[in-house]
Amino acid sequence: MRVVDIIQSKRDGFELSTQEIEFLLNEYMQEKVPEYQIASFLMATYFQGMTDRELVDFTMTMRNSGDIIEFPKINKFLVDKHSTGGVGDKVTVVLAPILASLGMATAKLSGKGLGHTGGTIDKFESIEGFNFSNTKEELSEIAMKTGIGLMGSSDKIVPLDKKIYALRDVTATVPSIPLIASSIMSKKLAIQNDVIILDVKVGDGAFMKTLDIARELAKRMVAIGKGTNRQVKVVLSNMDEPLGHNIGNALEIIEGIEALKGNISSDLKEVVYTIVSLALKAKGDIKEISEGKKIIDDIIKTGKPLEYFANFIKESGGNPEIINDYSLLPTAKNVLEVKSISSGLVSKIKTEEIGKAAMVIGAGRETKESIIDHAIGIKILKKVGDRVEKDEVIAKIYYNDDSKVNVSKEMILESYVIGNEISSVVTPILDIVE
Ligand code: URA
């Protein structure tokens, strides 16, 4: 078999065999294929795409390039929820304790934030003493004890994805839908779970800017699930405004705790409730997503999800008292009110810009090496559809360092589009693909 022939077949639109895909990827993994050949294969794939069969083979070969994590001792229904990244996305903070209190478990890898999007690791690391699981044994143990296990992403899981992603990045092939689908799914398939629920964010603040492209990605990931006998469900959720009100790590933990106390914004509620309901449906507890709402409302009223959250924090080395005393979390020294420069209806919030406004003051990372300040961030007081008056406070910036706060304020003002009408209604859940 020759790599050049495989590239030529892909270039000319022929379907590659399983053996060809395995040969190409395994040889590359062993550094026997030069990067220029893989780069050219990626570009051919960008234009020709992959059939579902090719995609399953490609994804499984990627998955098999590293460690596979299994949990033989956990006998609970295992849910792996993954988000493609958004602004104010604290879904995992709220979701995992609710799932645990309903008898399910989460045991998954979590990421750090980069650019305008945040990461779950950073949010929990705002809790002093909090430690993530470092090994699969630790992950399994804490998930068994608390129903929640989160491990930092590991270089040992799908190492091939790292190599290929780096090449995609410099060859303008990142946006290829089959390459995105296989990149995400290979990492999900490397971990044992009973259902994979993917929260694909769509809109201004998201990686997927339009619903059509996001839907296409969702369908391809569901197809990978079908081809590998795994349950995959995809929620397409709206990122045309930040999710909930708080952006920034400690601030998002506080909003997450409040949500577990029943004080939850309507958009965050809809996303969390939909994902919990999909998990209940996958487990066989309910038949229709609409049946989930009462179950979730009832469990939140018992206070159990909050107890599961506190127990998870305690077992992870943090102080569970944070649920009653937010001053135990890092707190910014200063607050700047951002006031509207006109009256009208908030017709749009440029979400990516808001994410960047949080990043410039140090709540997020500009590069992988940036140091973040967990205390700081932005509170969004006015959301799409709200009426505002001139000089009314629309957002608050929580900051420690004076030097960038005015830049951040200007960015927030620039993000708010205030007019006489709402250009589009922001529906939190745009579609579900199963
Ligand atoms: N997230 C991933 O893990 N991979 C991609 O290619 C895109 C988003």
Side-chain angles (χ1 to χ4, degrees):
M1 222 179 272
R2 295 192 321 155
V3 171
V4 65
D5 298 328
I6 297 174
I7 298 171
Q8 186 177 326
S9 292
K10 182 47 61 193
R11 183 198 69 191
D12 295 343
F14 294 105
E15 186 178 57
L16 300 180
S17 68
T18 305
Q19 291 74 15
E20 283 173 316
I21 289 171
E22 285 176 355
F23 174 78
L24 180 77
L25 293 182
N26 291 337
E27 293 284 296
Y28 177 52
M29 189 61 203
Q30 292 167 44
E31 319 240 312
K32 291 187 194 156
V33 181
E35 291 198 323
Y36 54 78
Q37 283 192 304
I38 300 296
S40 117
F41 172 80
L42 293 172
M43 189 55 85
T45 302
Y46 178 88
F47 285 111
Q48 294 293 358
M50 286 188 207
T51 64
D52 281 347
R53 207 225 78 244
E54 284 180 301
L55 187 56
V56 168
D57 289 338
F58 193 88
T59 308
M60 283 306 280
T61 313
M62 297 257 287
R63 169 215 190 237
N64 293 335
S65 69
D67 284 1
I68 306 292
I69 300 189
E70 287 182 336
F71 307 104
K73 292 194 199 146
I74 302 182
N75 56 9
K76 288 189 175 155
F77 190 82
L78 278 168
V79 182
D80 189 336
K81 190 280 297 180
H82 173 83
S83 154
T84 55
V87 178
D89 179 5
K90 68 281 293 174
V91 170
T92 299
V93 177
V94 188
L95 178 82
I98 297 177
L99 292 173
S101 65
L102 290 170
M104 296 178 261
T106 297
K108 66 182 221 89
L109 302 184
S110 287
K112 292 203 172 207
L114 185 61
H116 69 280
T117 63
T120 301
I121 287 211
D122 301 319
K123 301 182 210 303
F124 280 102
E125 278 186 346
S126 65
I127 302 167
E128 199 187 336
F130 185 95
N131 289 309
F132 272 88
S133 303
N134 279 315
T135 63
K136 54 184 173 186
E137 289 76 21
E138 279 175 26
L139 180 63
S140 171
E141 201 181 314
I142 192 154
M144 272 196 297
K145 235 187 229 170
T146 69
I148 306 168
L150 303 173
M151 184 165 112
S153 36
S154 152
D155 287 349
K156 292 187 184 151
I157 310 289
V158 198
L160 194 49
D161 180 57
K162 225 177 183 176
K163 279 165 76 81
I164 290 185
Y165 196 92
L167 272 185
R168 286 168 58 202
D169 215 11
V170 293
T171 54
T173 52
V174 167
S176 154
I177 293 289
L179 293 177
I180 298 171
S182 60
S183 167
I184 295 174
M185 285 301 294
S186 58
K187 290 171 281 192
K188 297 291 110 192
L189 296 177
I191 310 235
Q192 185 192 331
N193 42 53
D194 295 303
V195 64
I196 297 165
I197 304 178
L198 301 151
D199 178 7
V200 173
K201 304 285 185 197
V202 188
D204 187 291
F207 187 56
M208 296 280 120
K209 301 287 181 207
T210 70
L211 188 53
D212 283 349
I213 299 176
R215 213 177 256 134
E216 172 65 15
L217 174 65
K219 284 185 186 152
R220 301 310 304 265
M221 295 195 290
V222 168
I224 295 171
K226 293 215 163 93
T228 53
N229 284 326
R230 302 279 282 263
Q231 283 208 77
V232 176
K233 298 180 184 289
V234 188
V235 173
L236 301 177
S237 70
N238 206 326
M239 246 316 123
D240 270 338
E241 67 175 342
L243 190 59
H245 291 284
N246 294 5
I247 303 154
N249 299 296
L251 290 171
E252 291 190 44
I253 290 288
I254 294 171
E255 189 173 2
I257 295 170
E258 282 298 315
L260 294 171
K261 292 178 180 172
N263 307 320
I264 183 166
S265 65
S266 58
D267 54 349
L268 180 60
K269 180 171 179 173
E270 194 162 336
V271 176
V272 170
Y273 274 43
T274 303
I275 297 174
V276 176
S277 302
L278 281 170
L280 286 166
K281 188 174 163 204
K283 184 167 175 268
D285 286 359
I286 58 174
K287 285 206 169 65
E288 300 296 331
I289 291 170
S290 55
E291 293 166 47
K293 185 179 177 301
K294 183 172 171 356
I295 298 175
I296 306 162
D297 278 344
D298 288 349
I299 198 84
I300 289 180
K301 277 189 208 131
T302 66
K304 274 194 184 155
L306 190 61
E307 280 170 29
Y308 273 85
F309 176 87
N311 191 38
F312 171 61
I313 300 303
K314 182 169 133 257
E315 293 295 335
S316 304
N319 182 353
E321 263 309 298
I322 59 163
I323 65 166
N324 300 315
D325 183 357
Y326 299 145
S327 72
L328 295 169
L329 287 162
T331 311
K333 287 194 210 94
N334 311 301
V335 183
L336 180 76
E337 293 184 335
V338 181
K339 294 182 179 164
S340 178
I341 42 182
S342 55
S343 300
L345 284 173
V346 179
S347 64
K348 187 177 162 61
I349 301 177
K350 296 177 194 164
T351 314
E352 184 165 343
E353 189 74 0
I354 290 272
K356 287 182 180 159
M359 186 188 72
V360 293
I361 46 168
R365 282 186 194 79
E366 204 151 358
T367 69
K368 279 187 189 149
E369 288 72 36
S370 310
I371 308 277
I372 55 170
D373 182 341
H374 292 98
I376 63 187
I378 296 169
K379 241 183 218 185
I380 298 292
L381 303 184
K382 294 288 177 183
K383 305 256 293 179
V384 173
D386 287 346
R387 181 160 182 93
V388 294
E389 302 306 328
K390 186 172 182 295
D391 289 331
E392 195 178 348
V393 181
I394 51 175
K396 287 182 180 177
I397 308 177
Y398 294 76
Y399 67 104
N400 283 329
D401 173 4
D402 288 346
S403 65
K404 294 276 173 57
V405 68
N406 282 321
V407 176
S408 181
K409 179 182 152 192
E410 288 308 315
M411 290 170 86
I412 294 171
L413 285 172
E414 156 64 19
S415 310
Y416 270 83
V417 181
I418 296 175
N420 295 324
E421 54 190 50
I422 306 166
S423 56
S424 62
V425 180
V426 177
T427 317
I429 300 292
L430 300 166
D431 203 357
I432 293 170
V433 183
E434 319 179 53

